[in-house]
Amino acid sequence: MPIDDTDYSTDAGTKLREYEYPDDPIPADSIIATLCNLNQEYLANLGSTDPQSFDDDGSFQTVLIGFSDVLEEWNSLRPHFPEHVEDIDRAQALYAAWDNALKSKEGGDFTDVEQHLEEAEALLEELPEGPNSGCFD
């Protein structure tokens, strides 16, 4: 740690110092590996975009909770993997569309459910089809 050369008669130690904020460390390999799931193949298996079968068994809320955890991990990877930022944004929008569809279904607004699921389907189609090269080697 650098020597404190603050002149407390003029500064009182409130000026920010460069050394006070360490660089964002590289995340663990297990967190980085979750980027392999940032694709259509994986995310389409989480939930349906078909209004007829959406949340048939009532367990989709649990799926969304797990998906939100993965989204938090992906958000933490943004500074380290800028090439995935657009796909992370799409995954967040997909989460929002599915969440809104679930809320609409719980509220009995099936027209709104269809609209949100159409949005979810469009977002899924914009994601990479399968895992990136280098995944699951």
Side-chain angles (χ1 to χ4, degrees):
M1 176 162 282
I3 297 172
D4 183 9
D5 60 354
T6 304
D7 179 2
Y8 290 99
S9 65
T10 59
D11 180 1
T14 58
K15 289 184 182 173
L16 297 179
R17 303 268 179 165
E18 185 175 333
Y19 63 83
E20 293 178 8
Y21 299 96
D23 291 337
D24 191 15
I26 298 291
D29 289 342
S30 60
I31 301 298
I32 294 171
T34 64
L35 286 173
C36 291
N37 294 332
L38 185 54
N39 61 67
Q40 290 178 29
E41 184 181 323
Y42 175 79
L43 294 174
N45 286 319
L46 290 183
S48 173
T49 55
D50 178 12
Q52 304 305 321
S53 62
F54 179 69
D55 196 34
D56 276 347
D57 61 1
S59 66
F60 196 63
Q61 183 65 43
T62 305
V63 170
L64 283 179
I65 291 169
F67 187 22
S68 70
D69 290 344
V70 173
L71 282 172
E72 287 300 318
E73 290 179 352
W74 290 341
N75 274 327
S76 73
L77 296 174
R78 284 174 180 268
H80 304 286
F81 298 94
E83 68 274 16
H84 292 293
V85 168
E86 286 183 15
D87 290 334
I88 293 169
D89 290 341
R90 286 185 190 100
Q92 285 184 315
L94 174 64
Y95 172 86
W98 273 337
D99 190 43
N100 289 333
L102 187 61
K103 289 174 185 172
S104 295
K105 182 176 181 179
E106 290 170 352
D109 186 352
F110 294 101
T111 304
D112 212 23
V113 170
E114 286 185 32
Q115 177 185 353
H116 292 300
L117 292 179
E118 286 173 6
E119 180 185 351
E121 188 168 1
L123 288 163
L124 276 171
E125 289 174 4
E126 292 178 25
L127 289 166
E129 287 185 24
N132 297 320
S133 61
C135 288
F136 311 115
D137 287 341

